Amino acid sequence: MSRIKIFDTTLRDGEQSPGVNLNKQEKLQIAKQLERLGVDVMEAGFPASSKGDFEAVKLIADTIKDVSVTGLARTVKEDIDISWEALKGATEPRLHLFLATSPIHMKYKLKMTPEQVIEQSVNMVSYAKQKFPQIEWSAEDATRSDWDFLVQIIEKVIDAGATVINLPDTVGYTTPAEYGRMFQYIRGNVPNIDRVDLSCHCHNDLGMAVANSISAVENGVTQVEGTINGIGERAGNAALEEVAVALRIRSDFYSDETGLKLNEIKRSSDLIAKLTGMYVQPNKAVIGRNAYAHESGIHQDGVLKNPETYEIITPELIGVTSNTLFLGKHSGRHAFKDKVNEFGIELTEEEIKEAFGQFKQLTDRKKEVTDDDIYTLIMEIKTEAAAVSKYKLETFQVHYGSSDIPTATVSLQTPEGKSAQSACTGKGSVEALYNTISTLITEDLELLDYQINSVGGGKDALAESHVQLSVNGEIMNGRGSAQDVIEASANAYINAVNRYIIMHQSTKQNEKEKTPIGSEQ
Ligand code: KIV
Ligand code: ZN
């Protein structure tokens, strides 16, 4: 078996998903989980794009020691210098440079000739090499590029010092057979290709990102790039958990394996879904809720007789544990702390105290407290800590019935620390609540999406709400949980506004706006 490297870009390409905006602490939390999962490289962000990204990449590079941390940069000196400042504390500083090579990108976006693209790539790889021991160079839109042009430029950037060559399917256009042939061609025609890692990076516009990645593996790549849960621009990136599990389950067919600890997949997927607000579809391969459920009688009968009749993957393989009662009314702080450690989430003493208090309250109201409940509760505390609440829900009341006009009364603590009250009606209870909260908030708010889920089963399950708001025209996600659906809904709404305020506070300090990736070099 040969070992394929896994390059995770959840924190960069994944974070480019519409509406996803993670703060520094949330990114660090994900980075720590990716380290536990065993990825080889993690792309922590795009340091030159904003102060927020710079700080997050720096924090991750300075903290994560068992994984090579990288950051994306355009092939310009300024990006390379900024990236060095962010990444120099990493165990093995690694830079990810990219420049488009397809005719359409070179002509219309870059307004550069192919010769200029070669020159700029070579110059900037050489420049970066003075600082970075590891340099990945990506030919953006490689799958719509001329293969002979790729051969030419790749040979030169390797000579200039690149250690990884990545050929992305930027627009999710290729097919498994075509992508495989492209790698064969590059391996057969670039004389110095054996000096570097060859990498694939697939987008899912035609639903083939994972299949294309696997085809690339069959055709000699040594690194696969992707994200957990397949999140990313447009239709997303290749889902790394699917690639890793496919290689493991079909090890009779494939001769490559990854170093991922597969039993950390579920936890990684859950954490990323909760923090990004991008929940996984129930029928998603490998990690969907229904991936291990058998509905038809014939299937159930078969599984009871021998699980392998219809189950090719066991839930245990990816770390799904039976979500049974584990702690109760009489459990002490010690047992609670052990549980938190088991989740791999780091809490401060203050946060443990708060979480334990909330857990105790929950045991009064809920008969069976499950792992999922505890996890949700901790995530709520982490969210609050990261958001350093600007608006805070003090009290609320909602009246509604089949013959009443739904009415909400809300008391909110404002960023200035004052208490403000209001009451409004709506067509439903949630609308009444949101109308009321909106009158107490100075920002211009529009609700774009609203979700409410139960955590686990049972009538007394915790509620978890996720919203997408337009806050002064900017899309923000928010989440909140509580035992009551209305309270969870209020928390999620306020959380989205708080995230907007915090994001803008740091932008204001910096007075530097995010540079859109793919903008002119
Ligand atoms: O999809 C893509 O081309 C990218 C590059 C920046 C590597 O994400
Ligand atoms: Zn990409």
Side-chain angles (χ1 to χ4, degrees):
M1 280 278 179
S2 19
R3 170 90 149 64
I4 293 289
K5 290 182 184 147
I6 291 291
F7 176 117
D8 178 280
T9 182
T10 305
L11 293 170
R12 200 276 299 168
D13 226 341
E15 219 243 351
Q16 282 173 232
S17 307
V20 171
N21 29 58
L22 299 165
N23 61 38
K24 208 163 63 174
Q25 289 308 324
E26 289 168 336
K27 285 185 183 172
L28 182 63
Q29 221 178 312
I30 291 176
K32 286 183 179 169
Q33 181 55 34
L34 292 173
E35 190 177 35
R36 276 189 287 271
L37 178 64
V39 305
D40 299 283
V41 181
M42 70 171 82
E43 187 163 53
F46 181 6
S49 69
S50 70
K51 184 167 183 254
D53 248 43
F54 176 89
E55 285 176 353
V57 173
K58 181 160 173 44
L59 179 66
I60 291 169
D62 292 347
T63 313
I64 300 294
K65 293 299 163 204
D66 288 339
V67 174
S68 183
V69 178
T70 191
L72 185 69
R74 292 166 300 178
T75 47
V76 290
K77 282 187 178 168
E78 194 199 357
D79 277 26
I80 297 170
D81 294 343
I82 294 173
S83 301
W84 174 248
E85 289 310 312
L87 289 158
K88 65 185 177 193
T91 314
E92 187 194 39
R94 181 182 289 258
L95 184 68
H96 181 189
L97 284 173
F98 75 102
L99 190 56
T101 50
S102 64
I104 185 168
H105 276 238
M106 291 192 287
K107 182 169 175 196
Y108 294 101
K109 187 184 78 171
L110 301 176
K111 298 186 176 35
M112 286 168 80
T113 63
E115 293 69 34
Q116 287 170 325
V117 167
I118 294 181
E119 194 187 342
Q120 185 157 334
S121 297
V122 168
N123 287 347
M124 289 305 108
V125 169
S126 308
Y127 179 73
K129 197 65 184 177
Q130 295 165 18
K131 298 175 164 138
F132 288 91
Q134 298 291 339
I135 297 173
E136 171 166 325
W137 178 82
S138 284
E140 193 190 10
D141 206 16
T143 50
R144 293 192 297 167
S145 303
D146 177 76
W147 289 4
D148 287 322
F149 178 59
L150 287 177
V151 166
Q152 223 188 322
I153 192 166
I154 290 169
E155 183 183 353
K156 294 198 163 81
V157 294
I158 295 174
D159 279 341
T163 51
V164 183
I165 296 294
N166 181 38
L167 300 180
D169 182 27
T170 304
V171 291
Y173 178 74
T174 198
T175 69
E178 182 186 60
Y179 202 41
R181 275 202 291 272
M182 185 181 81
F183 282 107
Q184 286 290 359
Y185 193 81
I186 297 301
R187 290 177 62 215
N189 289 282
V190 177
N192 50 6
I193 199 73
D194 289 338
R195 290 190 353 218
V196 295
D197 269 315
L198 191 54
S199 172
C200 65
H201 175 117
C202 296
H203 282 267
N204 206 28
D205 300 65
L206 293 175
M208 291 194 275
V210 170
N212 288 338
S213 305
I214 300 267
S215 170
V217 170
E218 286 182 280
N219 286 284
V221 302
T222 47
Q223 175 175 286
V224 174
E225 302 193 359
T227 60
I228 300 300
N229 297 346
I231 63 169
E233 286 258 347
R234 307 181 311 278
N237 290 57
L240 289 175
E241 68 281 2
E242 292 182 25
V243 173
V245 170
L247 292 178
R248 168 70 64 83
I249 295 295
R250 294 309 311 274
S251 58
D252 59 318
F253 184 79
Y254 297 117
S255 52
D256 298 275
E257 63 183 352
T258 72
L260 290 195
K261 294 184 190 71
L262 301 185
N263 61 2
E264 287 290 338
I265 285 179
K266 178 70 168 67
R267 190 171 290 162
S268 310
S269 165
D270 283 352
L271 177 71
I272 287 155
K274 273 185 201 292
L275 292 182
T276 58
M278 294 190 68
Y279 290 99
V280 168
Q281 75 199 54
N283 59 330
K284 166 100 165 64
V286 176
I287 32 137
R289 194 172 63 235
N290 292 352
Y292 306 96
H294 303 278
E295 181 72 23
S296 102
I298 294 173
H299 287 207
Q300 287 172 349
D301 180 53
V303 168
L304 287 174
K305 288 175 176 148
N306 180 345
E308 285 178 29
T309 50
Y310 287 101
E311 254 181 32
I312 60 162
I313 314 169
T314 63
E316 291 74 27
L317 180 76
I318 61 153
V320 176
T321 49
S322 51
N323 187 24
T324 48
L325 169 77
F326 85 100
L327 290 177
K329 224 179 171 65
H330 305 292
S331 306
R333 203 178 139 96
H334 220 78
F336 181 77
K337 217 169 157 177
D338 282 352
K339 194 64 189 178
V340 173
N341 289 340
E342 232 177 75
F343 290 144
I345 299 177
E346 283 166 33
L347 294 183
T348 62
E349 271 312 307
E350 204 46 42
E351 287 167 343
I352 288 270
K353 201 169 144 202
E354 161 105 42
F356 186 64
Q358 290 197 18
F359 160 72
K360 279 291 179 190
Q361 279 176 23
L362 192 61
T363 58
D364 282 340
R365 287 180 283 151
K366 196 169 188 289
K367 219 167 90 206
E368 294 190 338
V369 177
T370 62
D371 281 13
D372 272 356
D373 292 328
I374 304 283
Y375 189 76
T376 304
L377 196 144
I378 292 168
M379 292 302 297
E380 180 77 10
I381 286 170
K382 277 284 184 201
T383 308
E384 278 304 301
V388 195
S389 285
K390 294 291 154 193
Y391 285 98
K392 206 170 161 56
L393 183 66
E394 289 177 335
T395 55
F396 74 96
Q397 233 183 357
V398 177
H399 287 289
Y400 96 104
S402 50
S403 54
D404 294 337
I405 296 173
T407 309
T409 311
V410 175
S411 177
L412 208 63
Q413 186 184 305
T414 67
E416 296 75 37
K418 297 199 177 111
S419 186
Q421 291 79 30
S422 179
C424 285
T425 58
K427 284 188 233 50
S429 50
V430 174
E431 196 196 356
L433 176 79
Y434 285 177
N435 285 346
T436 312
I437 296 174
S438 298
T439 62
L440 297 169
I441 288 175
T442 45
E443 270 63 35
D444 187 20
L445 306 178
E446 190 192 341
L447 182 66
L448 303 176
D449 193 21
Y450 168 78
Q451 292 176 42
I452 188 93
N453 297 308
S454 74
V455 178
K459 281 187 288 189
D460 56 0
L462 280 181
E464 191 174 48
S465 173
H466 183 267
V467 297
Q468 198 166 74
L469 294 189
S470 158
V471 186
N472 294 338
E474 244 177 89
I475 298 177
M476 301 301 299
N477 285 338
R479 62 180 182 279
S481 62
Q483 187 141 38
D484 176 74
V485 289
I486 299 287
E487 189 173 344
S489 306
N491 288 341
Y493 198 78
I494 294 166
N495 179 250
V497 178
N498 284 339
R499 293 169 77 87
Y500 171 88
I501 293 174
I502 287 154
M503 202 171 92
H504 279 265
Q505 273 172 354
S506 52
T507 313
K508 253 191 231 148
Q509 277 163 16
N510 182 38
E511 286 184 2
K512 187 166 181 194
E513 291 298 333
K514 239 182 187 290
T515 311
I517 294 179
S519 68
E520 286 194 22
Q521 298 286 313

